[in-house]
Amino acid sequence: MRDQAEALRLKMMKQQGELGRAIAVVSGKGGVGKSNFTMNFAMTLAQKGKRVVIVDMDIGMGNIHILIGKNASYSLKDYLEGNKLLDEVIFEGPYDLRYISGGSGMTSVLDWSHSMFERLIQAFEELQKNYDYILFDMGAGATNWSLDLLKSIDEIIVISTAEPTSITDAYSMMKYIHVRDPDKQFYILCNRALSKEEGLETNERLQLTMKRFLDKETIILGSLPEDPVVRKAVREQVPFSLAYPDALISKTLQLIVVRFMEQRAGEIHAHDQTTKKFLSKLRSIFSKGRD
């Protein structure tokens, strides 16, 4: 737990207008380790003293809480329907990490009431004020409503593996998003790489494809190796970054997180501008066609 002085400092920073970074983690297909990456990425940020919350947007199929052996008595659905307060659907994990389960029965956003959209926007506004990082663990693939949500989020981390189908699907996902928002910032990460060379080749292939066909620059975040401790940690329901901090994958993730945190160090002003647009973009996108 951070001390009172640190808590006060963060509160003052938020009052002065510095809002948390909204980041979506996506993949073109399932089975690439997206949720596991999200949890361990968030955990590593939390270990570095950052206030982090994961919002599980894999509606009806969310498993974030299972990865840390926790239960989620209530979900985002309970909040949106007005049955629970936001604080009541936010649960605590290790190192003061927070998470919100997606719940079930929310597959069609078209069926949402106006009050549910308003509550969603209010929730994200509160999260941006109270956390340094809001990580949206998106469902695999693309749906109309998830693409709409992704249009409003500041930055996108795209997870792929070296499999040709995974690379193709990751490119397709970025293309879907790029067509809707050409200014979106993409970070590319290869997961379960059998070697550094394979990870680098996969990332560079995706980066080159985006540049060649869409004239879009992307940032290579790095690659995570195939490591047997990952499956072991999943069975134990403990993030590998906590259970096996000396494993190669944990040490590699530490470097990736530092790289990500420093990536925007020289672009604070630009980040402030895009962050302030998040809620207005979200409101505009989700209100279209509902008047």
Side-chain angles (χ1 to χ4, degrees):
M1 298 294 289
R2 63 183 76 241
D3 57 28
Q4 291 183 344
E6 176 67 5
L8 180 60
R9 182 187 70 82
L10 284 173
K11 184 177 180 180
M12 291 296 292
M13 288 171 63
K14 301 305 181 189
Q15 289 176 345
Q16 293 169 6
E18 183 175 331
L19 301 175
R21 288 171 69 175
I23 302 154
V25 184
V26 306
S27 64
K29 60 179 289 186
V32 300
K34 172 183 58 62
S35 293
N36 206 357
F37 166 81
T38 303
M39 173 56 71
N40 284 277
F41 186 82
M43 189 64 63
T44 304
L45 283 168
Q47 286 178 299
K48 296 183 179 302
K50 302 299 180 181
R51 285 186 56 81
V52 185
V53 60
I54 301 173
V55 184
D56 195 340
M57 300 304 293
D58 194 355
I59 305 301
M61 300 290 287
N63 60 3
I64 280 292
H65 58 285
I66 298 174
L67 294 173
I68 53 175
K70 297 282 188 177
N71 294 318
S73 306
Y74 306 109
S75 68
L76 183 62
K77 177 176 179 288
D78 295 302
Y79 164 76
L80 293 177
E81 292 179 341
N83 298 323
K84 293 294 176 182
L85 300 174
L86 181 60
D87 287 346
E88 293 179 293
V89 301
I90 300 177
F91 295 91
E92 183 176 353
Y95 282 89
D96 208 26
L97 175 70
R98 297 292 198 272
Y99 64 92
I100 301 175
S101 173
S104 59
M106 291 171 54
T107 53
S108 178
V109 176
L110 295 178
D111 295 332
W112 288 18
S113 66
H114 178 74
S115 63
M116 291 176 75
F117 281 103
E118 286 299 316
R119 289 177 70 81
L120 180 72
I121 291 170
Q122 290 170 14
F124 290 169
E125 183 176 21
E126 285 300 307
L127 294 179
Q128 277 204 297
K129 290 179 180 178
N130 295 325
Y131 294 90
D132 302 308
Y133 293 87
I134 306 99
L135 296 177
F136 295 91
D137 183 36
M138 306 300 296
T143 62
N144 287 334
W145 89 270
S146 65
L147 288 172
D148 279 345
L149 177 60
L150 289 170
K151 283 173 62 179
S152 66
I153 294 176
D154 305 338
E155 304 161 274
I156 313 288
I157 297 177
V158 183
I159 309 296
S160 176
T161 67
E163 296 177 3
T165 54
S166 180
I167 295 172
T168 299
D169 289 341
Y171 167 71
S172 296
M173 173 62 81
M174 286 191 283
K175 181 179 178 180
Y176 285 139
I177 300 169
H178 174 75
V179 168
R180 290 163 173 79
D181 184 359
D183 295 327
K184 191 68 65 187
Q185 178 64 72
F186 292 107
Y187 297 87
I188 299 172
L189 182 133
C190 177
N191 195 27
R192 300 169 55 186
L194 296 179
S195 66
K196 288 183 178 180
E197 291 75 19
E198 182 178 74
L200 181 61
E201 180 180 350
T202 299
N203 286 331
E204 289 182 341
R205 180 177 172 184
L206 266 173
Q207 187 180 56
L208 180 61
T209 302
M210 288 292 290
K211 179 62 177 177
R212 177 178 296 171
F213 294 105
L214 300 177
D215 195 27
K216 175 66 177 178
E217 297 289 350
T218 55
I219 297 173
I220 293 178
L221 200 54
S223 63
L224 290 174
E226 180 74 66
D227 196 320
V229 305
V230 174
R231 183 171 297 181
K232 189 174 181 181
V234 170
R235 289 198 301 266
E236 296 169 350
Q237 292 185 291
V238 180
F240 64 75
S241 54
L242 287 184
Y244 305 99
D246 294 325
L248 176 60
I249 190 169
S250 299
K251 292 181 177 179
T252 305
L253 181 59
Q254 286 280 348
L255 296 175
I256 287 173
V257 168
V258 170
R259 186 179 304 131
F260 181 79
M261 292 171 63
E262 293 178 346
Q263 184 67 46
R264 297 293 289 271
E267 305 175 25
I268 294 176
H269 176 70
H271 166 59
D272 287 344
Q273 296 303 312
T274 56
T275 301
K276 290 174 182 176
K277 293 178 182 177
F278 170 52
L279 294 174
S280 61
K281 289 169 67 177
L282 184 68
R283 184 180 295 277
S284 173
I285 289 166
F286 279 156
S287 63
K288 66 180 181 181
R290 298 187 62 84
D291 297 329

